[in-house]
Amino acid sequence: MRDLKIPQQRHPEKARRPDNPQPKKPAWIRVKAPVGKGYMETKRTMREHGLVTVCEEAGCPNVGECWNQGHATMMIMGEVCTRACTFCNIATGKPPEDLDPFEPGRVADAVQKLGLNHVVVTSVDRDDVEDGGAEHFAQTIRAIRHRSPGTTIEILTPDFLHCDPGVLEVVVAAKPDVFNHNLETVPGLYPGVRPGARYFHSLRLLQRVKELDPSIFTKSGIMVGLGETRTQVHQVMDDMRAADIDFLTIGQYLQPTPKHHALERFVTPEEFAGYEKAAYGKGFLMVSATPLTRSSYHAGDDFARLREAREKALAS
């Protein structure tokens, strides 16, 4: 049995890679260690329901703040991903188990017990499953709707690259409030950062969501600090707007271990502010661009602002 707490077993494909130095973090990127009553209660609820969170698996720096507020991003379909993106800290390899048919119900129960107004559900990639987990996502959405009808639902999905194109319709038909799929980086860096994915396939996936159901908000994000240029970031913004994406997130890449993709530089808060201004100028309804921004960071508050922005745009 693999011990996923051991880096060499967690990321076997990275074990022989040369080490990349991990630069010291600047003051603006440092966060406090996770503590507090809310944090412990959220952790206990996750454990009681046998649930995995991307907050822990991906080593999110905001876990303390979010969990103290009772917010956690549920990660369904196991804790082993069939892709091996060089930036990601989620365990990789062949998943040892089939999809758990009872997981959607456990997620819905946890959402109800935590009293969430807005929940984010993500997953590992499951290229070993014929539909990539599309029906599992749909079942989870329906279970949450049944148990907590007032809760808004945001999903962060895989790209379904190796599936029949029709599987996307299964997810969209379940009517999540927000459909998120991250492009992660600029297309020129895909071979080294996201080798198992295809930039324009991911972009088209988000565009198709909007074509299938224009009422669903679409969202995507990228990391910076991987070696991209400002011009390349602006081109990604233009590509996203051409695909009618509503919400853009931009955050600082943080290197999980020396075996992961090298961190080229820390992007300054001033540069992030410049990206935010440019993105709003290109027509995004909502933008979150800060060093600590992650896909689901402040997702509930952002969703309220996103809905308000759409209402104002329609009114004008």
Side-chain angles (χ1 to χ4, degrees):
M1 289 290 292
R2 293 171 62 186
D3 185 347
L4 300 184
K5 295 181 180 178
I6 300 174
Q8 292 86 347
Q9 295 187 34
R10 187 176 182 84
H11 303 288
E13 82 290 347
K14 296 180 177 68
R16 296 184 180 180
R17 288 169 56 97
D19 286 357
N20 291 310
Q22 293 177 280
K24 184 178 178 181
K25 295 176 183 176
W28 65 75
I29 204 75
R30 296 174 194 165
V31 294
K32 295 180 180 179
V35 291
K37 182 180 178 181
Y39 173 84
M40 297 308 298
E41 288 178 352
T42 302
K43 186 173 183 177
R44 184 166 55 251
T45 299
M46 296 300 106
R47 296 295 179 271
E48 287 174 352
H49 290 77
L51 299 175
V52 179
T53 71
V54 73
C55 320
E56 294 175 289
E57 296 302 313
C60 179
N62 305 313
V63 63
E65 178 185 349
C66 294
W67 283 29
N68 262 321
Q69 298 171 5
H71 300 159
T73 298
M74 318 289 184
M75 191 170 80
I76 59 175
M77 303 199 291
E79 55 184 333
V80 177
C81 184
T82 54
R83 303 285 175 91
C85 299
T86 60
F87 66 87
C88 186
N89 199 37
I90 292 173
T92 54
K94 182 179 179 180
E97 69 285 308
D98 294 331
L99 299 184
D100 180 356
F102 300 103
E103 184 175 51
R106 294 201 310 273
V107 170
D109 191 42
V111 170
Q112 185 182 47
K113 287 186 176 179
L114 288 168
L116 299 182
N117 295 319
H118 185 83
V119 62
V120 182
V121 180
T122 188
S123 78
V124 292
D125 271 281
R126 290 297 300 258
D127 294 319
D128 59 316
V129 177
E130 186 175 1
D131 72 347
E135 178 59 32
H136 203 74
F137 261 103
Q139 290 176 2
T140 303
I141 294 167
R142 291 193 291 265
I144 295 170
R145 290 264 187 253
H146 178 71
R147 296 293 294 270
S148 304
T151 299
T152 50
I153 302 171
E154 179 173 330
I155 58 171
L156 173 55
T157 76
D159 58 13
F160 305 115
L161 178 62
H162 304 294
C163 307
D164 184 287
V167 304
L168 181 63
E169 298 174 22
V170 174
V171 183
V172 173
K175 294 191 75 69
D177 296 282
V178 181
F179 191 110
N180 185 1
H181 172 66
N182 286 330
L183 297 184
E184 304 293 8
T185 187
V186 302
L189 294 180
Y190 262 52
V193 175
R194 203 177 175 220
R198 301 293 179 269
Y199 176 80
F200 287 105
H201 171 86
S202 289
L203 199 63
R204 176 60 181 149
L205 182 85
L206 289 156
Q207 187 178 39
R208 284 188 61 222
V209 171
K210 209 60 150 176
E211 292 170 355
L212 290 166
D213 189 340
S215 71
I216 295 176
F217 290 104
T218 49
K219 178 178 177 180
S220 189
I222 62 169
M223 304 167 290
V224 289
L226 286 159
E228 71 292 325
T229 67
R230 186 173 303 178
T231 299
Q232 289 174 319
V233 172
H234 280 255
Q235 183 60 59
V236 171
M237 292 182 192
D238 290 336
D239 291 345
M240 286 187 183
R241 287 305 302 134
D244 204 17
I245 293 169
D246 300 302
F247 188 170
L248 167 66
T249 62
I250 306 177
Q252 172 69 55
Y253 167 61
L254 296 176
Q255 186 181 331
T257 74
K259 299 297 183 183
H260 282 75
H261 195 286
L263 168 65
E264 294 295 327
R265 72 185 187 97
F266 289 104
V267 178
T268 66
E270 292 75 20
E271 289 176 274
F272 277 103
Y275 283 141
E276 179 180 302
K277 182 177 180 181
Y280 274 122
K282 293 177 184 292
F284 287 95
L285 288 178
M286 183 74 195
V287 182
S288 178
T290 71
L292 288 173
T293 290
R294 297 296 182 268
S295 290
S296 53
Y297 188 43
H298 294 163
D301 294 337
D302 285 346
F303 175 73
R305 289 195 287 271
L306 183 63
R307 188 159 49 186
E308 183 181 350
R310 173 186 279 177
E311 290 170 357
K312 286 183 178 178
L314 291 173
S316 62

